[in-house]
Amino acid sequence: MLTVPRRQAGLTVLYLGVFATIWFSVPAAGPALRTLLVVASVAALVTAVAGAVVAARSHPEAGAVRDRAADRRYLLIVVAEFAAAGLGAALLAALGCSAYAPVLVCAVVGGHFLPLTPLLRDPRLWLLAGAMCLVALAGLVTGLASAVAPGLVVGVGAGLLLWAYAVWTLVTAPRPAGPAGGERGNRATPPGSGS
């Protein structure tokens, strides 16, 4: 059973719902697929709002203590992710291969979930990391072997994975403990969850 606190689950849903919306906007697609991507973007955004509501209505467990070292590690992981994705995309553009930037970014996003898994105490992130890397590989292979744009494969695939994970997290989030307050879960407040 998932042991992350309800507030952390809400923040996960919020962040991944927003990023799913962004990924759905990446591919250039024909009218029929574009309509589906817009619908998926709106649904992912609604999911993100639901996550924000869960996070806002949740309170850290009584006696929870912020782990400043974990907060710093979290920040370093996210900064490294953005730096690797940005520099890699810039390098691909300089080499005239900007069509493969979404592939690189997807692989970096997948990779960044690996060090976040123990930090956020959510072992399911291993599944998301592996699936994101497989989507990046599928985009690369498709781009090299066919006329289909890698960004189409990666944008749709990454958007669906992030959205599905957000929904999964929302559905499995711990329920409120009741009027007495408090949450079941870990004693330490997770990085980025606020105080």
Side-chain angles (χ1 to χ4, degrees), residues 36-179:
L36 290 175
L37 290 173
V38 169
V39 169
S41 291
V42 170
L45 201 52
V46 168
T47 304
V49 169
V53 169
V54 167
R57 290 185 175 176
S58 301
H59 303 285
E61 183 175 318
V65 178
R66 278 197 74 90
D67 184 345
R68 302 255 181 238
D71 286 348
R72 282 190 295 276
R73 284 179 41 215
Y74 179 88
L75 181 61
L76 286 174
I77 291 166
V78 172
V79 167
E81 171 201 13
F82 276 94
L87 292 173
L91 179 61
L92 286 172
L95 295 172
C97 300
S98 59
Y100 291 93
V103 171
L104 174 83
V105 172
C106 185
V108 169
V109 169
H112 106 288
F113 286 121
L114 296 175
L116 284 180
T117 299
L119 190 64
L120 296 177
R121 295 178 294 277
D122 185 354
R124 301 179 310 177
L125 286 173
W126 283 96
L127 297 172
L128 184 58
M132 290 289 285
C133 290
L134 287 174
V135 165
L137 180 62
L140 176 65
V141 170
T142 301
L144 293 173
S146 74
V148 176
L152 178 62
V153 174
V154 173
V156 172
L160 286 173
L161 284 174
L162 294 175
W163 181 33
Y165 192 90
V167 169
W168 185 21
T169 301
L170 186 63
V171 168
T172 59
R175 299 292 163 231

Side-chain angles (χ1 to χ4, degrees), residues 3-5 8 59-67 121 182-190 193:
T3 59
V4 299
Q8 178 183 330
H59 303 285
E61 183 175 318
V65 178
R66 278 197 74 90
D67 184 345
R121 295 178 294 277
E183 308 241 353
R184 293 184 182 99
N186 298 321
R187 290 279 176 210
T189 302
S193 66

